[in-house]
C-alpha cells in the first residue's frame, strides 16, 4: 500500500475521475476484465490510468450488446454535435477527363 501511494505521488496521479460507471479491459483471448463503478485515476502526461475496484472476468459475448449500445450512443452524440467523423466522398463529383494530356504536353514543350 505504501509503494502505491509513493508511485501515485511520483507520477502525479489525479485524485479521481468522477462519473465513470464501468471499465472494460478486453484481453487477447476475448475475455474481459469488467469493473462496475470503479475508482479511476489518471496521469495525462504519462498516459497512465489506475483502475481500482472489484474486477469480474466475463466473456466478451456477455458484454457485447451493452458495448454496442454505448458505441452507438457515442456515434449519435458525435453526429448531433456536428462531428460525424470521416465520410466517403461520392465519385459522381469527379469531372470526366476531356482532353489528352500527352498531346497537350507535346504542344507546350514547343
Amino acid at each position: 500500500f505504501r509503494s502505491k501511494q509513493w508511485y501515485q505521488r511520483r507520477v502525479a496521479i489525479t485524485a479521481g475521475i468522477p462519473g465513470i460507471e464501468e471499465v472494460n479491459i478486453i484481453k487477447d483471448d476475448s475475455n474481459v476484465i469488467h469493473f462496475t463503478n470503479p475508482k479511476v485515476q489518471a496521469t495525462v502526461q504519462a498516459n497512465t490510468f489506475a483502475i481500482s475496484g472489484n474486477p469480474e472476468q466475463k466473456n466478451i459475448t456477455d458484454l457485447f450488446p451493452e458495448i454496442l449500445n454505448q458505441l452507438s450512443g457515442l456515434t449519435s452524440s458525435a453526429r448531433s454535435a456536428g462531428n460525424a467523423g470521416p465520410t466517403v466522398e461520392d465519385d459522381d463529383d469527379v469531372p470526366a477527363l476531356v482532353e489528352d494530356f500527352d498531346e497537350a504536353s507535346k504542344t507546350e514543350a514547343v
Side-chain angles (χ1 to χ4, degrees), residues 5-108:
Q5 289 175 338
W6 173 84
Y7 179 75
Q8 288 176 339
R9 281 194 305 262
R10 178 158 164 73
V11 296
I13 292 180
T14 59
I17 302 172
I20 296 179
E21 296 175 6
E22 67 180 13
V23 172
N24 294 313
I25 301 171
I26 302 171
K27 298 171 23 176
D28 289 337
D29 61 358
S30 297
N31 285 318
V32 178
I33 301 172
H34 176 78
F35 294 86
T36 303
N37 296 320
K39 179 179 179 184
V40 179
Q41 298 171 306
T43 301
V44 177
Q45 300 87 353
N47 196 22
T48 303
F49 293 86
I51 302 165
S52 57
N54 295 322
E56 298 176 59
Q57 292 283 334
K58 294 189 175 186
N59 194 309
I60 195 166
T61 56
D62 298 337
L63 295 171
F64 198 67
E66 201 172 309
I67 292 170
L68 279 180
N69 285 338
Q70 292 171 2
L71 291 176
S72 66
L74 287 175
T75 57
S76 64
S77 65
R79 285 189 186 125
S80 66
N83 183 14
T87 58
V88 177
E89 292 293 323
D90 199 3
D91 287 341
D92 293 341
D93 295 339
V94 178
L97 183 62
V98 292
E99 83 182 55
D100 185 1
F101 289 106
D102 290 331
E103 289 298 317
S105 67
K106 289 177 188 174
T107 58
E108 287 179 13

